[in-house]
Amino acid sequence: MEEHLTVGRVAELAAVSVRTLHHYDEIGLVQPSARTAAGYRAYAAGEVERLREVLAYRRLGFGLREIADLVDDPNTDAVAHLHRLRGLLLEQRDRAAATVTAIDHELERRAMGIRTTPEEQLKVFGAELYEVIGSAYPATRRTEPRIAEQVWAALGDARTVLNVGAGTGSYEPPGREVTAVEPSAVMRALRPAGAAPCVDASGERLPFADQSFDAAMAFSTIHHWQDPIAGLREMRRVARRVVVFTHDASDVGWRNRFWLSRDYLPEVAAMVAGRPSVDRLAAAIGARLEPVLIPWDCADGFFEAYWRRPEAYLEEHVRRAVSVWTRVGPEAEQRAVTNLRADLASGRWADRNPELVALDAAELGLRLLIA
Ligand SMILES: C[S@@+](CC[C@H](N)C(=O)[O-])C[C@H]1O[C@@H](n2cnc3c(N)ncnc32)[C@H](O)[C@@H]1O
């Protein structure tokens, strides 16, 4: 018979309270499979292993719902979790060390009577956006098979594919030789075990020779690039074919068509102001444009994904996996969520958007650029 550890012993070893373990059991996160003769919960080895993963993700700041998604992911085994946790912890350690160094530096300067400028003070925390929000990403961001098919078809017969701004690799095509490029260490650490090799670089400066890939792809990333046109030209330089999934930032029609930005989050307009239009982006590399429809049950939780499932935006973990919500700031976010919640309860949302329930897919300005 398999050996079990009692709830008290597990709590003692893991330095958590028995109450915490009871709570994890009640919410289905870590459920012991046995009871002792006296009726105490008892954990088998596999359950202890799962608890270890849960506690490690918790220590890294993940919420319980996100952790449930992570530990229930059928594509990630215990070894893959260990690799991912190791990467995230090393990243956290490096960031803490860098912050300590910066603080020491500032203390020395203050001791010498030198004041640091506001810019210098903020540099200590000036992480790239995805260094901050990346850990929340896997909860809802995954491959949407219908959109993936469209992207992969656009890659044609390319055998070698460069995926720029690859994140966790949701749209990396199977059956081809993929190389990923991703500047965020947090995102790189979240790539599943066995994912394509990943290089630390940015789209604007790709460390590859001219024409070294059959195709280069970029999915839902160029709106983060400092210079998307330079990045697209870089992709064109290193690959014979370029496929980019993005949205038209300048399309007022798009913002007005999507009820979330139109009625609840008008801040999005200011956020995208000044970005090159999709026509300008396409012209920079001689690309043609192909519309991408968003299925009503889209599996990838990007900003527009829940256009027919408005309740989803009330969920914290849904919002945390989309950079827009972090960029607009907590005040705008709270206002939008409060108003949406009230409109859903009163029926006002349904009254304003009667046409959506009958749609299976929506055209909200998402485009493939194919060159
Ligand atoms: C919304 S995520 C998309 C990730 C992935 N392509 C996917 O579809 O799941 C955006 C990614 O772009 C990356 N990124 C940000 N700036 C970048 C740049 N200048 N060059 C390349 N990637 C960048 C971020 O770190 C992040 O991983």
Side-chain angles (χ1 to χ4, degrees):
M1 159 128 181
E2 195 181 353
E3 210 182 306
H4 286 76
L5 291 176
T6 64
V7 66
R9 181 72 182 131
V10 170
E12 188 188 324
L13 287 168
V16 294
S17 67
V18 169
R19 246 179 89 188
T20 299
L21 296 177
H22 285 182
H23 179 59
Y24 290 173
D25 182 5
E26 279 149 23
I27 63 172
L29 193 56
V30 186
Q31 292 183 307
S33 55
R35 296 263 169 178
T36 65
Y40 292 115
R41 291 165 169 84
Y43 294 76
E47 292 139 19
V48 170
E49 188 172 273
R50 185 174 164 99
L51 176 68
R52 196 257 331 276
E53 282 157 13
V54 167
L55 293 175
Y57 283 119
R58 195 86 185 104
R59 186 163 288 181
L60 281 159
F62 285 78
L64 291 181
R65 295 184 71 134
E66 296 162 50
I67 294 174
D69 283 336
L70 285 167
V71 295
D72 285 334
D73 178 358
N75 299 318
T76 311
D77 62 12
V79 173
H81 277 297
L82 287 172
H83 279 299
R84 177 185 286 173
L85 284 163
R86 188 172 186 281
L88 288 168
L89 286 163
L90 287 178
E91 165 65 16
Q92 201 178 53
R93 184 196 62 186
D94 293 348
R95 292 179 67 74
T99 310
V100 170
T101 308
I103 287 174
D104 286 348
H105 188 62
E106 184 171 342
L107 283 171
E108 270 171 34
R109 289 172 56 121
R110 281 185 182 241
M112 290 188 291
I114 306 168
R115 294 305 295 245
T116 44
T117 65
E119 283 88 354
E120 283 167 335
Q121 286 167 25
L122 289 179
K123 256 191 189 162
V124 182
F125 304 100
E128 292 289 328
L129 184 63
Y130 274 86
E131 301 292 308
V132 180
I133 67 167
S135 61
Y137 199 79
T140 62
R141 303 302 294 269
R142 42 185 83 99
T143 319
E144 163 45 55
R146 289 152 287 190
I147 296 180
E149 278 304 326
Q150 197 175 342
V151 173
W152 298 343
L155 290 172
D157 59 5
R159 197 182 52 78
T160 55
V161 176
L162 182 70
N163 184 21
V164 188
T168 53
S170 299
Y171 291 86
E172 277 160 22
R176 316 200 197 205
E177 196 184 308
V178 178
T179 305
V181 160
E182 171 53 56
S184 157
V186 170
M187 295 302 270
R188 286 199 302 277
L190 288 170
R191 289 173 64 77
C198 190
V199 177
D200 174 9
S202 295
E204 294 91 335
R205 292 185 65 180
L206 294 172
F208 304 104
D210 294 359
Q211 304 292 291
S212 38
F213 297 91
D214 294 334
M217 60 177 278
F219 193 95
S220 195
T221 171
I222 64 166
H223 56 290
H224 291 295
W225 300 7
Q226 282 191 346
D227 188 345
I229 289 187
L232 290 178
R233 292 196 172 123
E234 267 294 86
M235 290 174 73
R236 197 86 197 85
R237 179 183 68 74
V238 302
R240 279 176 279 282
R241 175 177 279 257
V242 175
V243 177
V244 174
F245 171 89
T246 190
H247 57 253
D248 191 351
S250 70
D251 178 3
V252 176
W254 156 73
R255 286 198 300 273
N256 286 336
R257 254 198 320 273
F258 186 34
W259 55 265
L260 181 56
S261 36
R262 182 190 63 210
D263 300 333
Y264 300 95
L265 217 47
E267 287 80 3
V268 171
M271 239 177 58
V272 299
R275 290 224 199 108
S277 70
V278 82
D279 291 326
R280 231 182 104 204
L281 294 171
I285 51 164
R288 66 184 169 86
L289 293 170
E290 203 176 274
V292 180
L293 299 184
I294 311 171
W296 76 271
D297 54 351
C298 184
D300 187 355
F302 50 76
F303 183 60
E304 300 90 344
Y306 304 93
W307 58 271
R308 217 185 95 178
R309 295 168 290 169
E311 291 80 9
Y313 295 107
L314 304 180
E315 300 278 342
E316 171 84 17
H317 75 284
V318 164
R319 298 197 304 278
R320 290 286 67 78
V322 177
S323 60
V324 171
W325 290 102
T326 299
R327 287 184 166 199
V328 293
E331 256 172 56
E333 177 177 5
Q334 269 327 304
R335 187 211 58 232
V337 171
T338 305
N339 291 345
L340 176 59
R341 183 176 287 116
D343 286 357
L344 287 170
S346 70
R348 191 157 177 249
W349 183 88
D351 291 345
R352 269 178 170 172
N353 301 287
E355 70 289 358
L356 296 188
V357 271
L359 286 183
D360 286 339
E363 208 292 74
L364 291 175
L366 297 183
R367 297 284 178 269
L368 276 193
L369 275 66
I370 306 169

